[in-house]
Amino acid sequence: MKNYEFWFVVGSQFLYGPEVLETVDARAREMAEQLSRLLPFPLVYKVTAKTAGEIAGVVREANYSPSCAGVVAWCHTFSPSKMWINGLAGLQKPYCHLATQYNREIPGDEIDMDFMNLNQAAHGDREHGFLAARLRLPRKVIAGHWQDESVHVRLGRWMRAAAGAAVSRSLKVMRFGDNMREVAVTEGDKVEAQVKLGWQVNTWAVGDLVKEMDAVTEADIDALMELYIAQYDIATGNMDAIRYQAREELAIRRMLDREGCGAFTNTFQDLYGMEQLPGLASQHLMAQGYGYGGEGDWKVAAMTAIMKAMGEDGNGCSLFMEDYTYHLVEGREYSLGAHMLEVCPCCAAQRPRIETHPLGIGMNEKDPARLVFEGKEGDAIVASLIDMGGRLRLICQDIHCVKPILPMPNLPVARVMWRAEPSLTAGVECWITAGGAHHTVLSYDVDAEMLRDWARMMEIEFVHITRDTTVEGLEQELFWNDLAWKLK
């Protein structure tokens, strides 16, 4: 993750005199310093803004700063918001309104008009909030005392979403070949995706990858094999299959890094010149933070990279996933998620095993090596970005991952089992009603609020399926969304 920072802009005015402004400045510095130690990114105090020129200037600087991932504003005193119009109207970075105040309590015995003039965030934040609403400015509003843990958690999650927006704006996706033939949901408008989300999605020939693979040396493979052995259990005697995956990984990574790409796709229908579909290769690349999408699914590849970047330490537990089959025993309904080979080991409950098995689909000449493991337990989400024709929709569903209820010794792939909200059948009906894809990003550390914030920053539709969602209610929501988005 790039070393992003967030800028803290505090609103005031000259009306209250220099002593008040000096106090506001000192408090803002103190708050930024303390919060920076508690948040995932530094909060850099920039200015106590008192004029339209100061506000426009700091916004202009933020827009052009590659390190600034967002702006956090707070009005310590009353800050007449007509001063903010020109600045906020031109803001291009994610925006958070922190509605707080320096003091936690009202000092009943000492409070006087001097105190009121200095500590009137309740007054100033409402004036500021009106203008943002009038401008229809995409924003996050977080209310609470700045020393409260709940505020730190919510502000930290918003920061991670904003970092995801910054990653999105510069993301490049490398497609090896095209999409799987005749599949609808993996298609989409790449021009619109670049306009709205910033993604550059382009194709490289599989022959380019084969040429790069031929340039990988045995010494390079030896070094990567040592890493495999250190991280995974070897549960196959076919070392040549593992070495071939290492060759694929090294070649893919070199091409990604050379072109500045953070995500890639391939398809089992286009492996011309290759012996195996990248399995272990793709899994280990995802473990390093690269995004991936199977069958040419560039949307899920990009979202995997973005959600990984939004997670803990800039490479969180987010992974390419696919709903495969259901367990429909009454009272014990579960989804089984997997993919042919490519599930990231970040979610593994135990140390993954490298195994080699036949893959009875696609252009494989030899049996591919892959990591096999069970996913860990815990609350999570699955997310799907779809092209609705004219707009993008991000669908998120709450799930709870469980230890697989069956051993499945003959299933040689990584897998995750979960309970969906509000129930398996209602959740499936809601997902299908919303148009959710079969490919998703499953995440244990990016939550629905973060994705809602990200969707707001990117100005795209967001749909959340929760324990309280009903099919009828969702149908009504989607109907109104269709009308609203047609008016945008």
Side-chain angles (χ1 to χ4, degrees), residues 411-428:
L411 183 63
V413 294
R415 61 264 193 178
V416 183
M417 184 169 276
W418 65 82
R419 296 195 304 266
E421 298 289 0
S423 67
L424 177 63
T425 52
V428 168

Side-chain angles (χ1 to χ4, degrees), residues 114 126 246 257 261 431-432:
D114 287 338
R126 281 166 168 75
D257 293 348
C261 295
W431 189 266
I432 291 175

Side-chain angles (χ1 to χ4, degrees), residues 90-308:
L91 181 64
Q92 298 171 9
K93 295 293 178 77
Y95 191 61
C96 178
H97 182 176
L98 180 60
T100 189
Q101 63 183 30
Y102 180 78
N103 56 298
R104 185 182 289 277
E105 301 178 2
I106 296 173
D109 293 336
E110 292 84 17
I111 189 169
D112 56 16
M113 284 310 301
D114 287 338
F115 181 93
M116 294 287 277
N117 285 335
L118 174 62
N119 300 284
Q120 52 176 301
H123 187 191
D125 279 330
R126 281 166 168 75
E127 166 76 358
H128 190 72
F130 159 74
L131 181 70
R134 173 68 185 270
L135 292 174
R136 275 71 171 178
L137 184 69
R139 58 183 166 145
K140 178 76 169 182
V141 180
I142 298 176
H145 193 259
W146 63 277
Q147 292 179 320
D148 287 346
E149 183 181 1
S150 60
V151 170
H152 304 157
V153 169
R154 294 189 67 207
L155 184 54
R157 288 175 176 168
W158 175 83
M159 283 181 163
R160 292 189 183 281
V167 169
S168 181
R169 293 295 185 197
S170 60
L171 183 63
K172 298 172 70 175
V173 181
M174 179 176 288
R175 301 171 67 226
F176 292 111
D178 204 347
N179 295 12
M180 179 180 173
R181 291 186 285 275
E182 304 295 347
V183 177
V185 76
T186 55
E187 297 286 355
D189 187 338
K190 301 181 189 68
V191 173
E192 182 67 11
Q194 187 165 349
V195 171
K196 295 295 293 185
L197 308 177
W199 304 349
Q200 299 178 54
V201 183
N202 291 300
T203 300
W204 275 257
V206 176
D208 293 334
L209 176 57
V210 172
K211 182 178 179 180
E212 193 72 41
M213 289 170 58
D214 291 340
V216 174
T217 67
E218 293 300 316
D220 295 331
I221 295 173
D222 289 340
L224 186 52
M225 287 291 291
E226 291 183 7
L227 188 58
Y228 288 164
I229 292 169
Q231 295 181 336
Y232 311 122
D233 291 336
I234 308 299
T236 176
N238 189 350
M239 301 303 290
D240 287 343
I242 303 177
R243 292 183 67 85
Y244 192 81
Q245 290 288 322
R247 181 181 296 277
E248 291 179 320
E249 177 185 338
L250 290 163
I252 294 170
R253 188 171 63 203
R254 288 175 185 177
M255 291 185 66
L256 292 172
D257 293 348
R258 186 164 61 236
E259 299 293 339
C261 295
F264 70 102
T265 71
N266 54 27
T267 172
F268 60 88
Q269 290 180 323
D270 190 355
L271 299 176
Y272 190 79
M274 301 170 66
E275 296 179 359
Q276 305 171 13
L277 177 67
L280 171 61
S282 295
Q283 292 173 296
H284 195 243
L285 284 166
M286 282 187 279
Q288 298 167 61
Y290 294 95
Y292 173 77
E295 288 91 64
D297 193 339
W298 51 270
K299 295 190 293 296
V300 80
M303 287 304 302
T304 303
I306 291 165
M307 290 173 65
K308 278 183 170 292

